[in-house]
Amino acid sequence: MSTTTNPGRARALRHVAMVLGTVIGILVLAAWTSRAEAHHSFSVFDMQTNKELEGEVIEFQWTNPHTWTWIEVTNADGTKTRWGLEGMSPNFLGRRGWSKNTFEPGDKIKVVIWPLKSGEPGGTLQRATLPDGSEVVNFGRGPGG
Amino acid sequence: MLRQTWLAIALVVAVPLHAQSGPQGDTWESIAKLPEFVGLWEVTFGGGPRGGGEPASLTPAYAAKLKEYQDATARGEIEDGPAANCVPNGMPSIMTQPYPIEILFTPGKVTILIEAYAQWRQIFTDGREHPEDPDLTFNGHSIGHWEEGTLVVDTVGFTTDTSLGGGGMRHSDKMRIAERFRLAAPDRLEIETTITDPEALTKPFTRTAAFGRHRDWTLAEYVCQQNNRNFVTDDGKAGIDLSFEEK
C-alpha cells in the first residue's frame, strides 16, 4: 500500500465540496460541447443512486480514456463479486493529485459509485476511502480554476 | 480634390510598406512580438462568458433533423454518440473538451495540439488561401492572420460526419467557422467562435469559450482505444464491456 502520493484528508474534503460545482459546470458545458465528459454519455449509469461498496483492489488500470478500478466484494452470503469501476482519465486525475499508485492490489477500500442500470457489477467511481482513512474524489477540482 | 490626391498618395505608400513588413508571425523575429500563448490552456467549466447568447437559428430542414434526434433520444433509442467509440468530435467541439490544448507559433503557421483524442489543427498564417475544393475533414482547413493581438482564423472544409455540438445538431459541408483568439487577461484566453452555414443556419451562431492557463502542465498521451470499455451500437444503444482478464 502506498499513501505517499495520496492527497491529505483536508484536501480530499475540499475536493468533495467542489464535486457539486464541477458537476454543475459539466452540465453547463454540455450545452456547448458534445460530451463534457469528453467521451461518452452517462445513460448506462443510474445517477440517482449512490451505492456504497467495500472491497479489495484486484487491479487499478491507469489507462485512457478511463481509469478502471477492479475490486472484489464479499457479499452477505459469503460469495465474492468482482466490480469494475470507471473513473476519469489518467490525464485528468494525474493533474489533480492522483497517480497510478493511488490504489494498489490488496488495498481494502470503500467506494461510492453510480451503479450500472443493467444490474451488472459495475459503475462510475465517485469517491473512495483509502486504507489510511483519506479520501480521493474522482472528479477532482473543476478545471481551469 | 486635394483630399483625394492625398488619399491616393497615402494608398500608394501604405501598400508597399505593408508588403515589406509581411504578415505578423511570418518570421521568427515577428513571432517575438506576438502575445505570449505559452503553456497549456484548459477550458473553464462554467467560469467564462459561455452558454449565454442566442441559441442557434436552424433552417427548417436542419430543425427537423434536430427534432428527429431529440425525439429518438426521448424515446430512449439514442443513448450515446460516436465519441463513445473513440471517434473524435471534430470542430468546433474538439476545442472545448475537458482536456488542455497547446498553441505553438512557427513562422507562417499556428499549430494547436489538442490532448483529447490526440488531435491537432494547423492554421496557416503565411498568406495562403483555402484550397478551391478542400477535402472534407473533422477539423477543416484553417487560415489565419493577426489583427493586433488577436489571432483571426477562418476554417472551411468539414465532413458532415460530425455534429455541431451535442444533442444532434447537424451542419452541412458548407459550414464555415470564424474564430478570434485573444488574451482577455494575462492567464485567460478567450476564443470567440462564429459558425455560419447557408444550409443549416439562418444566421451566424456565436459562442465564446474561456480558457485558463497552466504554465506548469505538459500534454499527456491520450490513446482512446487503449482501454475503451464504453461503446455505442450503430443504432445508438450504449453499453459497457466488463470483461476482465486475471493477471
Side-chain angles (χ1 to χ4, degrees), chain A residues 2-54:
Chain A
S2 164
T3 55
T4 51
T5 53
N6 296 330
R9 184 167 179 79
R11 186 174 173 188
L13 288 172
R14 206 159 59 238
H15 282 184
V16 172
M18 286 173 171
V19 168
L20 189 60
T22 303
V23 169
I24 290 168
I26 284 169
L27 295 176
V28 170
L29 192 68
W32 174 234
T33 65
S34 63
R35 303 282 167 229
E37 209 270 346
H39 173 230
H40 65 79
S41 75
F42 282 95
S43 60
V44 297
F45 301 106
D46 174 8
M47 294 178 75
Q48 306 301 316
T49 300
N50 297 315
K51 185 177 179 64
E52 294 183 23
L53 293 171
E54 201 166 341

Side-chain angles (χ1 to χ4, degrees), chain A residues 34 36 38-39 41 63 89 95 143, chain B residues 42 79 89 98-99 115 117 228:
Chain A
S34 63
H39 173 230
S41 75
T63 53
S89 68
R95 295 180 174 118
Chain B
E42 188 181 50
E79 296 179 324
N89 309 73
Y99 292 98
E115 187 171 285
Y117 305 94
N228 182 29

Side-chain angles (χ1 to χ4, degrees), chain B:
Chain B
M1 182 64 195
L2 186 62
R3 184 181 292 175
Q4 284 169 348
T5 306
W6 275 113
L7 190 63
I9 292 170
L11 280 173
V12 167
V13 173
V15 169
L17 275 179
H18 178 75
Q20 278 167 18
S21 61
Q24 261 182 306
D26 201 33
T27 61
W28 289 111
E29 292 73 25
S30 66
I31 285 173
K33 294 173 189 152
L34 296 178
E36 200 222 349
F37 281 15
V38 172
L40 265 56
W41 298 95
E42 188 181 50
V43 73
T44 56
F45 279 45
R50 64 160 59 253
E54 287 184 61
S57 178
L58 297 170
T59 59
Y62 280 76
K65 286 177 199 256
L66 177 60
K67 187 170 186 316
E68 192 183 325
Y69 179 93
Q70 288 171 336
D71 289 349
T73 303
R75 290 194 301 268
E77 292 168 10
I78 299 177
E79 296 179 324
D80 213 338
N85 292 339
C86 291
V87 180
N89 309 73
M91 279 289 286
S93 304
I94 195 65
M95 290 292 288
T96 48
Q97 297 299 305
Y99 292 98
I101 61 173
E102 185 168 23
I103 302 171
L104 308 174
F105 303 152
T106 49
K109 190 164 85 169
V110 174
T111 302
I112 304 178
L113 301 174
I114 303 166
E115 187 171 285
Y117 305 94
Q119 294 286 288
W120 75 84
R121 296 175 61 198
Q122 45 188 350
I123 298 160
F124 300 106
T125 55
D126 56 3
R128 79 179 68 182
E129 302 289 330
H130 292 300
E132 218 165 274
D133 185 18
D135 288 346
L136 305 181
T137 59
F138 279 59
N139 296 335
H141 183 273
S142 299
I143 54 175
H145 65 275
W146 290 87
E147 292 177 4
E148 299 296 328
T150 300
L151 174 63
V152 181
V153 180
D154 183 64
T155 306
V156 297
F158 298 104
T159 172
T160 54
D161 291 344
T162 61
S163 63
L164 213 177
M169 208 192 301
R170 308 302 297 195
H171 62 81
S172 79
D173 60 4
K174 299 188 180 56
M175 176 167 75
R176 184 170 209 120
I177 298 181
E179 294 163 290
R180 297 180 68 85
F181 295 64
R182 70 182 186 99
L183 290 179
D187 291 321
R188 181 188 182 87
L189 177 73
E190 287 187 5
I191 307 177
E192 182 195 80
T193 302
T194 300
I195 303 165
T196 52
D197 187 330
E199 290 182 14
L201 296 170
T202 60
K203 57 183 177 183
F205 177 43
T206 300
R207 286 287 185 274
T208 301
F211 296 72
R213 187 184 333 235
H214 298 271
R215 288 184 186 273
D216 57 340
W217 285 9
T218 53
L219 287 175
E221 180 180 277
Y222 188 102
V223 177
C224 186
Q225 295 88 343
Q226 182 183 17
N227 188 21
N228 182 29
R229 294 168 173 277
N230 305 98
F231 63 87
V232 60
T233 62
D234 287 344
D235 56 0
K237 291 290 173 196
I240 294 271
D241 174 8
L242 287 175
S243 60
F244 183 84
E245 199 175 317
E246 297 279 355
K247 278 195 170 172

Side-chain angles (χ1 to χ4, degrees), chain A residues 72-86:
Chain A
E72 188 172 73
V73 176
T74 303
N75 304 308
D77 63 2
T79 58
K80 291 175 190 288
T81 303
R82 182 184 59 237
W83 286 74
L85 310 177
E86 183 181 83

